Amino acid sequence: MLLEVKDLNTHYGPSHVLQGVHLEIGEGELVALLGRNGMGKSTTLKSIMGMVKPTSGSVKFEGQEIVGLPPYKVARAGIGYVPEERRIFPELSVLDNLMLGIKDGKIRNPNDPNTWTIERIFHHFPKLAERTHQAGGRLSGGEQQMLSIGRSLMGNPKLLLVDEPSEGLSPIMVQEVRNVLEEINKAGVSVLLVEHNLKVALSLAKRVYLMSKACIGCQASAQEVRSNHELRAKYLEA
Amino acid sequence: MDPMVSMYISQGIHGIAYGMILFLIASGLNIIFGMMGILNMAHTAFFMLAAYFCYVVVGITGNFWLGLVFAPLFTAVLGVVMERVFLRKAVGHMGELILTMGISFVIVAAIKKIWGTESLPLQMPEILSGMVNIVGVSYPVYRLFVIGLALVILVFMMLLLYRTRLGKIVRAAVSDRDMVNALGININMVFMFVFGVGTWMAGLAGVAIAPILTVFPGLADQVGMDAFIVVVTGGFGSLAGAFIVSIIFGLLSSYGVQFVSQFAPVLMVVFMAIVLAFRPNGLFGVKE
Ligand SMILES: Nc1ncnc2c1ncn2[C@@H]1O[C@H](COP(=O)(O)OP(=O)(O)OP(=O)(O)O)[C@@H](O)[C@H]1O
Ligand SMILES: [Mg+2]
């Protein structure tokens, strides 16, 4: 297993927002984490990343315990984070945003075709290439989403945590983002995807975790979620 | 040249030199605040401490230039130690405020204990004393030197912030330090660096002002208060705001003394009040 989360608990002050989350992601897998608003999907990603400190539990990445490490160490271990709010640096240019994603400012093995470089990012995101020197804050929502994904790829992660990438985007942009995630996954990057757009999520993931209040309610295949009304009614529909 | 005109110009130079010193202090305060959200109440104590360090170095070596190089460095080291050892442990912004205030009291008390309360003169080097004549107007060399020094630092800071990876990290961290951290950048090392540079600049200002005002324990309050007013008026976190307001304040204080001497001390406060009435976050303020 690439990532093994066991019995993860996280509190925000007195509220217990993750109550024993279990999940696993294999090498090269794209797994979706679905559930209604406020169930703790974002908190799960943040807890894995070290953006919030879990109160107990285990997060193993490539067999190494990483729970409780600060985010920069988690990132260096090989996990990239694409947050819900995108969080690009508005004053920095598109190029500088991407450059900050490079760990230690130096790309290892730049000639390896599997290594993410600026050129490769621009190849995948031609819209960003057109805006190389524009300030990140001046991009459209979809472009910012692309930039946020591109920036995390510059760190050459083995696993990408992606939080609601299609939120607030036009249908065309949603499709583009979807396709980019598919390409990235095909290129060998594992993905844990939180996504409200069920169609997008099920078209990408083979395996799905369904979250109910603060826990993983069940695990299913994308096929099961598609065909099983009860499952969807229980975990997804309002 | 009309002697009146020549006096105005020379007064202007005094004002700009003082403004530059304010800028050196205020920009350190500002960048620390912008990135770490810490209002460092000990900043002006470090500024004053550097003047004393310079006094000691000059006393031992007789060389002002060594003081100019080493006093700000010693100060920066102390600043970094404070950040690493104490500030890391402070809880919340209130904790940081109280902690830095406490450290400032300790520094001031230690200064009084070690060097007493009287004014200690600091001789400027021969080459910087006296006047220089440029197209019929004579300028005090030392003030020109201070202006030049501050401009060099300003250019250096701009290059650092806009041309280097480290500078870009700092600018990114001003807007979102957790995201910087999540990209694999050790934000604590960046904080340490920013704190060091900020205190180093305050230290330079302390050395620069020492030959003008002498070295005395009230230095922090006298000049430091002006620097805080600069930051508030220019806008927290804004270097451009700090620069413009510093120059305005420098000129206000020097022309103020000349024309409306009894009101001079309140001019800056009045200016701040007017600015804040229209722009509560300061001229270039971005943060709430
Ligand atoms: N910083 C915080 N402080 C306190 N409570 C929080 C904080 N962030 C989230 N919560 C609460 O924790 C719970 C889980 O939030 P989380 O953002 O993880 O949900 P989510 O599944 O991502 O929801 P959404 O689909 O709306 O993004 C919610 O009840 C939320 O109100
Ligand atoms: Mg969420």
Side-chain angles (χ1 to χ4, degrees):
Chain A
M1 278 298 137
L2 185 63
L3 182 80
E4 284 179 87
V5 175
K6 281 203 189 116
D7 200 23
L8 197 63
N9 285 275
T10 297
H11 291 77
Y12 285 123
S15 55
H16 195 176
V17 283
L18 294 187
Q19 304 177 5
V21 168
H22 286 266
L23 59 85
E24 292 181 350
I25 299 169
E27 197 94 38
E29 250 192 316
L30 191 156
V31 177
L33 178 61
L34 309 180
R36 294 192 187 89
N37 286 342
M39 292 297 128
K41 304 178 298 294
S42 297
T43 306
T44 302
L45 299 194
K46 286 178 188 162
S47 301
I48 295 170
M49 200 61 212
M51 307 285 280
V52 298
K53 279 238 178 328
T55 29
S56 67
S58 153
V59 179
K60 284 209 170 106
F61 184 68
E62 297 190 299
Q64 300 277 342
E65 185 59 69
I66 59 164
V67 77
L69 290 183
Y72 78 93
K73 286 194 175 159
V74 176
R76 287 182 185 180
I79 303 184
Y81 178 52
V82 182
E84 209 169 356
E85 315 82 356
R86 287 146 204 168
R87 294 169 77 165
I88 51 118
F89 305 119
E91 321 238 295
L92 269 56
S93 69
V94 166
L95 185 62
D96 285 340
N97 266 279
L98 292 174
M99 299 282 269
L100 284 202
I102 305 172
K103 295 195 189 110
D104 300 321
K106 230 174 46 224
I107 298 180
R108 255 154 273 182
N109 314 319
N111 297 322
D112 183 331
N114 289 320
T115 301
W116 292 96
T117 59
I118 299 280
E119 294 76 38
R120 189 159 167 225
I121 298 285
F122 281 165
H123 176 76
H124 279 267
F125 306 97
K127 286 226 177 72
L128 295 183
E130 288 165 25
R131 307 205 184 286
T132 314
H133 297 292
Q134 247 183 47
R138 311 261 313 267
L139 302 184
S140 71
E143 289 162 349
Q144 292 193 357
Q145 187 63 64
M146 299 291 188
L147 183 55
S148 186
I149 295 172
R151 181 181 62 183
S152 66
L153 284 175
M154 287 306 293
N156 281 287
K158 294 205 176 82
L159 169 67
L160 213 50
L161 311 177
V162 188
D163 201 348
E164 308 223 13
S166 76
E167 195 185 17
L169 301 187
S170 67
I172 296 173
M173 275 320 282
V174 170
Q175 200 54 38
E176 277 193 37
V177 168
R178 195 217 82 93
N179 294 344
V180 153
L181 288 173
E182 186 169 47
E183 285 171 36
I184 290 167
N185 182 236
K186 284 220 175 91
V189 181
S190 307
V191 179
L192 177 56
L193 174 68
V194 172
E195 180 54 68
H196 266 294
N197 185 325
L198 195 61
K199 234 176 107 190
V200 167
L202 296 183
S203 77
L204 285 167
K206 289 196 185 60
R207 211 154 57 78
V208 174
Y209 286 104
L210 293 162
M211 233 179 151
S212 62
K213 192 84 208 120
C215 321
I216 302 290
C218 86
Q219 191 191 149
S221 70
Q223 189 51 44
E224 280 171 272
V225 179
R226 229 181 257 125
S227 56
N228 189 335
H229 290 278
E230 276 168 48
L231 211 55
R232 289 209 304 274
K234 185 166 176 206
Y235 292 107
L236 299 173
E237 275 138 30
Chain B
M1 177 77 63
D2 187 325
M4 279 305 276
V5 174
S6 144
M7 192 183 68
Y8 288 151
I9 293 177
S10 138
Q11 207 63 21
I13 294 291
H14 278 228
I16 293 173
Y18 184 58
M20 288 296 193
I21 286 171
L22 287 182
F23 173 68
L24 285 178
I25 307 171
S27 52
L29 258 179
N30 233 341
I31 196 157
I32 290 170
F33 178 82
M35 183 165 158
M36 308 162 77
I38 293 174
L39 188 53
N40 179 13
M41 300 301 286
H43 197 70
T44 55
F46 282 119
F47 151 79
M48 177 164 77
L49 193 57
Y52 279 94
F53 282 164
C54 184
Y55 174 81
V56 171
V57 173
V58 173
I60 294 170
T61 65
N63 188 331
F64 175 80
W65 302 103
L66 288 178
L68 183 66
V69 170
F70 286 106
L73 282 182
F74 294 153
T75 314
V77 169
L78 275 187
V80 167
V81 168
M82 168 176 108
E83 200 271 328
R84 295 241 93 176
V85 178
F86 298 107
L87 216 41
R88 282 286 147 86
K89 300 191 178 76
V91 177
H93 289 325
M94 192 47 96
E96 291 158 358
L97 206 67
I98 291 170
L99 182 92
T100 55
M101 214 179 263
I103 286 175
S104 131
F105 290 151
V106 169
I107 293 175
V108 174
I111 282 174
K112 286 182 181 158
K113 184 90 191 151
I114 299 171
W115 289 288
T117 52
E118 75 266 40
S119 286
L120 309 170
L122 188 73
Q123 211 58 51
M124 57 183 79
E126 196 69 49
I127 188 172
L128 296 181
S129 51
M131 309 290 274
V132 60
N133 219 302
I134 305 172
V135 286
V137 187
S138 47
Y139 300 93
V141 177
Y142 188 75
R143 312 286 172 135
L144 291 179
F145 166 74
V146 168
I147 294 172
L149 178 73
L151 285 178
V152 168
I153 299 299
L154 178 64
V155 170
F156 165 78
M157 285 285 291
M158 287 300 163
L159 288 178
L160 187 73
L161 278 174
Y162 288 87
R163 287 275 177 272
T164 68
R165 176 174 162 88
L166 189 57
K168 286 165 186 173
I169 290 173
V170 170
R171 282 163 60 218
V174 167
S175 66
D176 192 341
R177 53 179 160 156
D178 289 341
M179 193 61 224
V180 169
N181 201 352
L183 292 177
I185 295 162
N186 185 350
I187 199 77
N188 286 332
M189 297 305 283
V190 183
F191 282 173
M192 193 175 91
F193 168 79
V194 165
F195 219 89
V197 171
T199 347
W200 176 73
M201 286 171 68
L204 270 182
V207 173
I209 209 160
I212 300 176
L213 292 184
T214 75
V215 184
F216 61 100
L219 207 50
D221 288 341
Q222 187 181 324
V223 182
M225 189 49 76
D226 289 355
F228 270 99
I229 297 178
V230 164
V231 173
V232 173
T233 313
F236 276 105
S238 165
L239 277 186
F243 184 74
I244 290 167
V245 173
S246 293
I247 300 299
I248 293 175
F249 277 14
L251 291 174
L252 272 184
S253 83
S254 68
Y255 286 124
V257 168
Q258 191 174 13
F259 294 115
V260 283
S261 54
Q262 65 272 46
F263 297 118
V266 298
L267 281 179
M268 290 184 200
V269 181
V270 170
F271 183 82
M272 170 176 77
I274 293 171
V275 167
L276 294 187
F278 293 99
R279 296 187 61 93
N281 292 333
L283 271 183
F284 293 79
V286 276
K287 296 237 164 174
E288 71 282 10

